[in-house]
Amino acid sequence: MKKAIIIFGSTGNLTYKKLLPAVDTLIHEKRLNPEDRIFLLARHDIDLSSYIEDAKTQVKRHLDWETLESYLEFVYFNLNQPQDYIDLEKRLSNKGYIDNTFYLALPPKLFPVVAKGISESGLVQKGDDSKRIVFEKPFGEDLDSARSINRELWKYFEESQIYRIDHYLGKEMIQNILVVRFANKIFGQTWNHNTIRNIVIIAKETEGVMNRGNYYDKIGALRDMLQSHLLQMAALIGMTKPRTFQSEDIKDAKIKVLNDLKLDASSIVFGQYDGYLNEAKIDENSKTETFIFATAHIYNDKWKGTPIYFITGKKLDEKRSEIIINFKDDNNLTQIFSNATPNNSKLIIKVAPEDGVKFQLNVKQPGLSDEIIPGHLDYCHTCDWIGNTSEAYEKLLLDVLNHNKTLFTRWDEIEAMWEIIDEVQKMDKPLYKYKDYSDIKDIIKTEKGVDIDAL
Ligand code: BG6
């Protein structure tokens, strides 16, 4: 069956940076057939060749533009114009496109108007799973707005047709968390508060807001990163073994964690990088945070007393996302080994830029010394892999085309994540300016007594 992907917001950052490169790979991997098409919608009076010329200046990766062009069609489209939806419906049905994915690379406030348009024009019928609709995060700006967007969507679509993207879930090592945890019995008995001292979930970036000031200044790090990517990582780390590894059972296991997880409001540190106020499209008095540190706990028997530390921000020392599982020491460690350094054993799940798993454990220093030092078992997930590895968006786009919902967030997860965030976002907290990562680490140490380097 011929497939169409219809992208709303095709002149936006997301389309240039993620979607076009993902489509290019899917073509080369032969995951799209020559008769499949990508319809690029935007309110610009241009043709496909000028679109491609513009896109070439925006897309950072090398793409096979000639082949890609043969899969693309550009469509002038006004989101507020019902006739444009009707014309699109005719265009798709005349060309015989039945298996259609509508990708909304748009701000959330536009979701309802597009949902209504595609429904009333007959582009999508409620309950027809051959028509799917994809939304980008953040899904709403708080619990109330997310609920009202969702109410609108459910008027027009069944939950089975709705794909809410959190692109972190498409990353190799995030997909790998459940395999590492549940395909290795060694972790079965140890993955709880008895053995794990704390969990650190980090997503650091070196870039600033770049040209996304308009969006970012309204959202900030708490809602841009923690509400989605970091809480999803926490849910995968914290969940108990699902009944099966089918999509709904995994989500049922994650939702239990999200319902039990609470951020400790008094632990939170908000930072804003120096120079943020001079970035394009940023309010000159903006109080938006570009960095957040927060401690959370999962209030259940499995995790009692084990803190989770969340760290995420822009303009930091390096681009790195990882999850560190810090293990407790044996109670008698220093009685048995008087020279042992405490807190040396940890498992690091490396998400990006490298992907893999690193296990740090206590070992004896080689030679005549009795010193105990940290030794490392370092698994690189893709180093020895000969085939292509998939980028998050390639995997997610392919999953939408194949009607596979495992890596997409269900409504109750979104609701639970907003509940966690809403509790803290209404509070008035100081905003610390930082020049670099060491600045903000010093503030966290002084204000909250947490030494990030020792985690
Ligand atoms: C996006 C955020 O969801 O994730 C961006 O909106 C952030 O602000 C990006 O830069 C980080 O993703 P990645 O895959 O580059 O770590």
Side-chain angles (χ1 to χ4, degrees), residues 123-189:
L123 275 162
V124 175
Q125 262 104 27
K126 189 169 182 174
D128 174 3
D129 285 347
S130 70
K131 312 286 183 298
R132 295 163 307 283
I133 175 151
V134 183
F135 298 94
E136 268 297 325
K137 63 151 270 287
F139 196 84
E141 294 179 355
D142 54 18
L143 183 58
D144 282 350
S145 62
R147 278 188 175 146
S148 97
I149 291 173
N150 205 59
R151 262 196 307 274
E152 283 298 300
L153 297 186
W154 279 358
K155 274 193 209 160
Y156 307 115
F157 317 113
E158 291 295 342
E159 178 68 16
S160 62
Q161 295 173 281
I162 302 176
Y163 290 69
R164 299 180 194 84
I165 288 229
D166 178 323
H167 79 276
Y168 260 60
L169 297 181
K171 290 182 189 275
E172 271 290 317
M173 282 311 296
I174 301 292
Q175 295 175 58
N176 216 348
I177 292 176
L178 297 189
V179 182
V180 170
R181 284 193 53 196
F182 297 114
N184 297 293
K185 194 170 166 61
I186 183 176
F187 294 124
Q189 299 302 314

Side-chain angles (χ1 to χ4, degrees), residues 137 167-168 171 205 212 215 224-225 229 314 319:
K137 63 151 270 287
H167 79 276
Y168 260 60
K171 290 182 189 275
E205 298 184 77
R212 294 169 72 225
Y215 152 80
D224 183 46
M225 294 294 287
H229 309 323
K314 297 199 182 280
K319 170 98 179 149

Side-chain angles (χ1 to χ4, degrees), residues 312-326:
T312 184
K314 297 199 182 280
K315 287 270 180 192
L316 300 178
D317 59 330
E318 57 179 346
K319 170 98 179 149
R320 175 175 298 281
S321 301
E322 63 188 17
I323 302 167
I324 306 172
I325 310 292
N326 280 307

Side-chain angles (χ1 to χ4, degrees), residues 79 82 85-86 112-124 156:
L79 301 178
Y85 294 89
I86 295 169
V113 69
V114 179
K116 185 166 187 267
I118 60 180
S119 168
E120 289 183 347
S121 59
L123 275 162
V124 175
Y156 307 115

